[in-house]
């Protein structure tokens, strides 16, 4: 049964045609990943599905009583609300749990938020997104609509979300550029290409294969058409006599073939590996230390960068990764230690936040501020030509920057960085907001880049694809080195810490609401209450009996299901009852974990006192 059916969708934004008489449907239990170049309408599709935007033409039919939750790219909160108040109000009538606050606290803790009473206006952008994500996941909804849910999540959070969505019983439609995440969670990929939606009943890996087959078929059909046209053209040039019906039909066939459009494909970003010469002295870090208040980020870290280094930097949010990048870029001073830059070093810093810019500027005027021409291996090309290579056609070059999508702004910012031909490239979360196709081209560009690349990223695929050494922030100022990409790091980390685990290390460095990387982000786990509320005390007294009762009920149901093997009506009823009991048991187990942790914390507090 379809939850949402859209037919003959047409939608334009200014002069750009996003949907060109295309169709889309979403069925029960489907987990759909939407991909396509930035600015082609992916977020608009999600807003249309959610009923927040209307198409210019076409119909959208949603199932009766369909319950949906929508996570936007940039969530909006009511000022003055605490984190907990905001989530509880958003989920009144939506959540499956009778105890919203307790379940919200468990999920917020998973997302690295511990001060539940902090006001939403004090949160950083990444923290706001994580709070909104928790609010969306709390609901017992038929359809989750998620726009970039993996942005601002560290590796541990991404893995938790991945497992949660795999188990989620409802349907999901989401935009994400995390390719490992798409591969694990989705069972269908929908690609937006030249105003049309193409559906592939598979995960991301299967999509790559089927997409290649589709393009090959389109190319083969075009080659066949061109071959027939050449024959027809030769016949026409010999001078067709239009007296017979057969000859008239031949002419009409030629005209029809000539009028057919060749298959249109979205263009790829064209990046060329252009960099300045890098001398013998590159970048040297000696005994670098940095703290904010009581939170130690980096302690006595030293490293000498090699000319072709490809370094990936990982760690929990707020652990100091971006601070290290800002120190390398000269934006932040270390507390101790030195950073030496060779005379030939030319830094290009692609930060998490786009630089402040007058968004009333036209795209072409913004780029021309950094040079009318840029040197490439093919010679000198104009700013306008460079913009075309980055998928800004002449019509888009005279658009105000404010009219661009978030992804297009990131692509424009990346172009500005690369135009300066750096030989040391600092990339802070480059995969945020860049579409998959642009990421693939960027990865190819980095393969041939003649200099040093340092990238902060939680994107496991990007790290496996591009880096050869990992710097891991492991808490208390410790930065450890691992050889290889992210998968190699995971294997080596488990070997070095057989009894620990990444989750344990990452928990040490969780951030608090406020500006990420600042002093107020010191861990505050110790500030959590060490006592039960009245309701929690009541739950704790009976929850183990409730779990035992549910488990016994499930065992009895299994027996009844075996006995009803030939009674299909009764079997269906029993299976539905079993599913409900399993969901109830899962809720009780999650509640027990939370209460047990709190009980242990209380006991520890008494011992220490």
């Amino acid at each position: 049964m379809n939850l949402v059916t859209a037919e003959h969708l047409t939608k334009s934004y200014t002069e750009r045609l996003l949907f060109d008489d295309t169709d889309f449907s979403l069925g029960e239990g489907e987990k759909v990943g939407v991909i396509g170049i930035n600015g082609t309408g992916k977020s608009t599709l999600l807003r249309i599905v959610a009923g927040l935007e209307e198409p210019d033409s076409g119909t959208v039919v949603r199932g009766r009583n369909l319950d949906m939750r929508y996570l936007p790219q940039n969530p909006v909160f009511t000022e003055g609300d605490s984190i907990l108040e905001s989530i509880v109000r958003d989920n009144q009538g939506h959540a499956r749990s009778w105890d919203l606050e307790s379940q919200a606290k468990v999920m917020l803790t998973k997302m690295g938020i511990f001060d539940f009473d902090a006001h939403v206006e004090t949160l950083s952008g990444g923290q706001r997104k994580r709070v909104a994500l928790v609010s969306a996941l709390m609901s017992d909804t038929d359809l989750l609509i998620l726009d970039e849910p993996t942005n601002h999540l560290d590796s541990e959070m991404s893995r938790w979300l991945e497992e949660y969505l795999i188990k989620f019983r409802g349907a999901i439609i989401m935009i994400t550029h995390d390719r490992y995440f798409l591969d694990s969670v989705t069972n269908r990929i929908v690609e937006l290409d030249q105003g049309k939606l193409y559906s592939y009943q598979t995960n991301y890996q299967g999509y790559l294969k089927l997409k290649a087959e589709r393009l090959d078929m389109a190319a083969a059909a075009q080659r066949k058409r061109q071959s027939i046209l050449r024959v027809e053209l030769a016949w026409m040039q010999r001078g067709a006599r239009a007296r017979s019906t057969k000859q008239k039909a031949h002419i009409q066939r030629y005209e029809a073939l000539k009028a057919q459009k060749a298959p249109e494909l979205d263009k790829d970003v064209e990046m060329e590996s252009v960099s300045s010469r890098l001398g013998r002295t590159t970048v040297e870090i000696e005994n670098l230390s940095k703290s904010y208040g009581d939170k130690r980020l980096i302690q006595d870290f030293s490293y000498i960068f090699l000319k072709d280094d490809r370094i990936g930097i990982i760690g929990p949010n707020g652990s100091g990764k971006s601070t290290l990048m800002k120190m390398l870029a000269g934006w932040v001073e270390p507390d101790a230690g030195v950073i030496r830059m060779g005379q030939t070093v030319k830094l290009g810093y692609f930060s998490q936040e786009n630089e402040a810019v007058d968004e009333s500027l036209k795209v072409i005027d913004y780029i021309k501020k950094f040079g009318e021409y840029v040197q490439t291996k093919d010679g000198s090309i104009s700013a306008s030509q460079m913009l075309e290579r980055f998928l800004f056609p002449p019509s888009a070059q005279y658009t105000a920057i404010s009219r661009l999508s978030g992804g297009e702004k990131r692509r424009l910012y990346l172009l500005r960085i690369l135009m300066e031909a750096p030989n040391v490239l600092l990339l802070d979360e480059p995969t945020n907001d860049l579409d998959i196709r642009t990421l693939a081209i960027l990865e190819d560009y980095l393969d041939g880049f003649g200099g040093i690349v340092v990238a902060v990223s939680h994107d496991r695929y990007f790290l496996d694809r591009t880096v050869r050494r990992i710097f891991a922030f492991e808490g208390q100022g410790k930065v450890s080195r691992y050889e290889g990409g992210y998968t190699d790091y995971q294997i080596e980390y488990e070997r070095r810490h057989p009894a620990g685990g990444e989750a344990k290390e990452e928990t040490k460095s969780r951030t608090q609401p406020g500006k990420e990387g600042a002093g107020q982000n010191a861990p505050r786990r110790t500030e959590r209450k060490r006592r039960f509320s009245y309701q929690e005390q009541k739950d704790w007294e009976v929850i183990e009996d409730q779990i035992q009762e549910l488990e016994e009920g499930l065992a009895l149901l299994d027996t009844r299901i075996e006995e009803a093997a030939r009674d299909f009506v009764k079997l269906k009823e029993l299976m539905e009852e079993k599913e409900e009991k399993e969901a109830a048991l899962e809720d009780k187990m999650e509640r027990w974990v939370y209460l047990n942790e709190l009980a242990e914390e209380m006991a520890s507090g008494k011992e220490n006192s």
Side-chain angles (χ1 to χ4, degrees), residues 132-321:
L133 176 61
V134 167
S135 184
L137 296 179
M138 283 277 297
S139 58
D140 185 20
T141 187
D142 304 314
L143 173 60
L144 274 177
I145 304 170
L146 307 175
D147 198 342
E148 297 289 1
T150 57
N151 279 5
H152 309 291
L153 302 188
D154 63 33
S155 302
E156 182 193 352
M157 295 172 191
S158 289
R159 283 196 297 272
W160 177 84
L161 178 61
E162 194 174 294
E163 291 168 4
Y164 184 92
L165 294 181
I166 288 170
K167 295 175 184 175
F168 180 70
R169 296 185 184 89
I172 301 169
I173 179 170
M174 65 178 173
I175 299 167
T176 179
H177 307 314
D178 187 323
R179 286 155 285 184
Y180 282 161
F181 193 88
L182 276 174
D183 212 36
S184 295
V185 176
T186 62
N187 54 28
R188 179 180 163 207
I189 298 291
V190 170
E191 182 182 26
L192 182 54
D193 188 354
Q194 294 290 331
K196 300 293 185 184
L197 289 164
Y198 298 91
S199 181
Y200 303 85
Q201 297 290 339
T202 181
N203 60 5
Y204 181 73
Q205 187 174 339
Y207 150 77
L208 291 175
K209 180 181 177 182
L210 294 175
K211 170 72 180 289
E213 291 174 0
R214 178 173 74 82
L215 294 181
D216 286 345
M217 288 172 63
Q222 175 64 3
R223 287 194 298 271
K224 184 176 181 180
R225 172 178 164 270
Q226 293 292 340
S227 177
I228 294 171
L229 264 175
R230 282 193 293 271
V231 174
E232 297 293 313
L233 180 61
W235 182 85
M236 291 290 292
Q237 288 174 340
R238 284 200 299 270
R241 292 170 297 170
R243 282 197 290 254
S244 74
T245 303
K246 189 177 289 186
Q247 288 170 333
K248 286 180 181 178
H250 212 139
I251 293 170
Q252 288 168 356
R253 180 186 175 207
Y254 167 75
E255 295 295 340
L257 279 168
K258 190 171 70 169
Q260 281 181 16
K261 287 186 177 180
E264 292 186 19
L265 301 174
D266 277 328
K267 293 180 179 178
D268 280 333
V269 179
E270 293 183 40
M271 297 186 192
E272 292 183 337
S273 182
V274 179
S275 57
S276 307
R277 186 187 69 82
L278 187 60
R280 292 184 63 183
T281 304
T282 57
V283 181
E284 298 179 1
I285 299 173
E286 185 178 347
N287 299 327
L288 198 69
S289 295
K290 184 68 180 177
S291 299
Y292 282 107
D294 295 331
K295 185 176 177 68
R296 185 185 304 152
L297 300 179
I298 302 170
Q299 183 68 35
D300 291 329
F301 179 63
S302 300
Y303 186 75
I304 298 174
F305 287 88
L306 305 176
K307 281 188 176 183
D308 62 346
D309 256 346
R310 298 292 187 269
I311 305 293
I313 301 178
I314 65 171
N317 290 330
S319 58
K321 305 182 302 296

Side-chain angles (χ1 to χ4, degrees), residues 385-534:
Q385 290 172 311
M386 199 68 180
L387 280 166
E388 284 194 63
R389 293 187 176 194
F390 270 65
L391 305 185
F392 293 101
S395 58
Q397 293 176 19
Y398 291 89
T399 299
I401 294 173
S402 61
R403 307 293 293 272
L404 301 180
S405 70
E408 287 175 311
K409 289 176 184 175
R410 290 292 283 170
R411 195 192 313 142
L412 184 65
Y413 182 36
L414 178 60
L415 167 59
R416 202 279 288 167
I417 300 297
L418 297 182
M419 278 189 68
E420 297 180 337
N423 49 33
V424 176
L425 196 53
L426 308 179
L427 304 173
D428 197 350
E429 294 293 357
T431 62
N432 282 358
D433 298 318
L434 289 182
D435 60 79
I436 289 175
R437 195 175 301 185
T438 303
L439 284 175
I441 302 300
L442 174 60
E443 288 158 359
D444 286 340
Y445 169 87
L446 295 177
D447 285 344
F449 179 74
I452 296 167
V453 178
V454 185
V456 171
S457 182
H458 297 304
D459 188 320
R460 297 159 291 175
Y461 187 101
F462 179 83
L463 291 171
D464 275 342
R465 174 70 177 78
T466 58
V467 308
R468 298 192 289 267
R469 182 169 293 136
I470 295 284
F471 291 168
F473 280 69
E474 296 182 342
Q476 304 301 314
K478 182 181 179 183
V479 182
S480 299
R481 277 180 268 175
Y482 297 82
E483 296 304 311
Y486 185 83
T487 302
D488 300 310
Y489 151 77
Q490 280 187 306
I491 295 168
E492 179 62 16
Y493 184 90
E494 289 170 7
R495 189 189 69 79
R496 293 188 195 180
H497 307 84
E502 188 176 350
K504 197 174 289 185
E505 292 294 339
E506 293 201 3
T507 303
K508 293 178 184 176
S509 304
R510 283 287 182 233
T511 61
Q512 298 300 314
K515 188 172 181 182
E516 293 182 353
Q520 65 264 37
N521 290 338
R524 294 174 62 180
R525 287 297 290 261
T526 56
E527 296 177 19
R528 289 182 60 191
K529 63 178 183 180
R530 285 198 173 97
R531 63 183 180 84
F532 283 132
S533 67
Y534 173 76

